[in-house]
Amino acid sequence: MPGHPSVAPAVVPVFASDTHRRHAPEREIESSAFQVPYEHPGRADAIRAALASSPAFDVREPPQSSRAGMGDGVAATHVAAQLGSRCFETTTPLTEGTFAAARSAVDCALAAAAAVEAGAPVAYGLCRPPGHHATESLYGGYCFFNNAAIVANHLVAATGTRVAVLDVDYHHGNGTQQIFYERADVAVVSLHGDPARAYPYHTGYADETGAGKGSGMTHNVPLPAGIDDDAYLVALDSALTVVAAHDPSIVVVSLGVDTFVDDPMCDLALTTDGMRRCGARVASLGLPLVVVQEGGYADSSLGSNVRSWLLGAASRFDSHQRSPSPRG
Ligand SMILES: [Zn+2]
């Protein structure tokens, strides 16, 4: 339920771990050439600094989750064979510290979910590496464990209710879609650059709507190049109508800010203030939000873009609201 404008906005719990720095590849391969990675530790450090400088956020270390078996079970022994059985493309660097970093991202996501379960109307997991391209068994697209999907799966099990994932990253969240494609308990709604021109190219088209028990639970909104704040908000509003129609108890937001006008990888034209408007619009659903970080590569604006989105969301909840009312 949106808060009264005269009441102070809720302080947003933020979960961040410096363990992400253990995933620090020196180079990545793009178009058959080495380049400095777009996805690097400075991203999460910039977001953390931007949030820590504002009293609107309470930055905490996440507790370590108890999924110790994650990553076990590869049968092949040669490293090349193991890689081939675990990744869907070759541009995502894997390093000695990647597992620890990816685990810490899951911890951040699950801690944000726990904060919402405990009554916070909105909480944020500063997940790095990101997650939404990771499928049930394959890494790729800078993603290793699907933080948003792990949270959604946890919330369904913990609450016995339906959950929605709203993915606003520029790129289609192929992993999240794959994981829930045949499930009736998690709706997946994604806005992204049209895969006819944008990574991951093979998924994210409007005619992918789920299968089996999950028929009608997947909704893709491919976007044209160059759209600005106003045009994006029109698309977001229609996506939010779809989210609401599924009547979820909680919304997991895959927050990519690579929709930003100056993002070096992408071709939409959102502004920092547009991010605020998007956050406010999503929060106006009146549902608790577990927000997890996905992409965003415009380094100098990354922190302010994430902060703007979260402040927009928090502005819809007041500081006395321990447990948001059901959507009404
Ligand atoms: Zn992205």
Side-chain angles (χ1 to χ4, degrees):
M1 196 70 67
H4 190 280
S6 67
V7 180
V11 173
V12 179
V14 169
F15 296 92
S17 167
D18 287 338
T19 306
H20 79 84
R21 290 182 188 149
R22 293 194 57 193
H23 178 60
E26 295 172 11
R27 58 186 75 90
E28 65 185 17
I29 301 170
E30 187 69 44
S31 304
S32 303
F34 283 132
Q35 66 177 29
V36 176
Y38 281 118
E39 203 295 295
H40 60 86
R43 296 179 57 249
D45 290 345
I47 295 170
R48 183 173 186 153
L51 301 184
S53 69
S54 165
F57 302 98
D58 175 14
V59 182
R60 313 170 193 174
E61 190 79 18
Q64 195 171 58
S65 56
S66 58
R67 294 166 190 250
M70 251 172 21
D72 296 345
V74 177
T77 52
H78 192 280
V79 64
Q82 292 192 22
L83 276 171
S85 65
R86 289 293 185 182
C87 69
F88 65 80
E89 42 98 305
T90 55
T91 62
T92 299
L94 184 69
T95 71
E96 184 182 5
T98 298
F99 179 81
R103 271 294 309 260
S104 78
V106 172
D107 291 341
C108 291
L110 284 172
V116 165
E117 289 178 270
V122 52
Y124 170 71
L126 205 182
C127 300
R128 180 186 173 271
H132 72 152
H133 294 304
T135 72
E136 199 165 273
S137 59
L138 300 173
Y139 78 85
Y142 299 147
C143 301
F144 299 90
F145 299 133
N146 193 316
N147 306 304
I150 289 168
V151 162
N153 192 59
H154 161 76
L155 290 171
V156 164
T159 66
T161 62
R162 185 181 297 144
V163 168
V165 178
L166 174 67
D167 190 325
V168 297
D169 187 278
Y170 171 83
H171 303 97
H172 177 239
N174 59 295
T176 311
Q177 172 169 302
Q178 180 266 329
I179 288 165
F180 297 118
Y181 205 64
E182 297 186 27
R183 283 175 54 167
D185 48 7
V186 178
V188 178
V189 180
S190 179
L191 299 91
H192 45 261
D194 191 328
R197 71 173 193 283
Y199 185 93
Y201 308 112
H202 295 289
T203 64
Y205 294 90
D207 62 356
E208 297 159 18
T209 57
K213 289 179 184 173
S215 290
M217 298 296 291
T218 291
H219 186 79
N220 286 317
V221 184
L223 300 169
I227 61 170
D228 63 7
D229 293 339
D230 290 339
Y232 186 90
L233 282 159
V234 170
L236 179 61
D237 279 342
S238 74
L240 292 175
T241 302
V242 173
V243 171
H246 285 290
D247 198 24
S249 64
I250 298 172
V251 178
V252 180
V253 181
S254 272
L255 176 61
V257 292
D258 40 10
T259 49
F260 183 58
V261 60
D262 289 334
D263 195 280
M265 293 176 78
C266 305
D267 61 11
L268 301 189
L270 271 68
T271 66
T272 301
D273 190 61
M275 299 294 173
R276 180 192 59 77
R277 295 167 68 194
C278 288
R281 212 66 74 91
V282 173
S284 70
L285 283 168
L287 295 166
L289 305 178
V290 180
V291 184
V292 299
Q293 188 62 43
E294 301 286 359
Y297 307 97
D299 290 348
S300 61
S301 305
L302 189 50
S304 53
N305 284 338
V306 171
R307 183 174 60 199
S308 186
W309 199 101
L310 291 171
L311 288 175
S315 71
R316 297 289 173 147
F317 298 101
D318 71 56
S319 56
H320 304 293
Q321 193 170 20
R322 290 281 308 150
S323 182
S325 313
R327 183 172 51 80

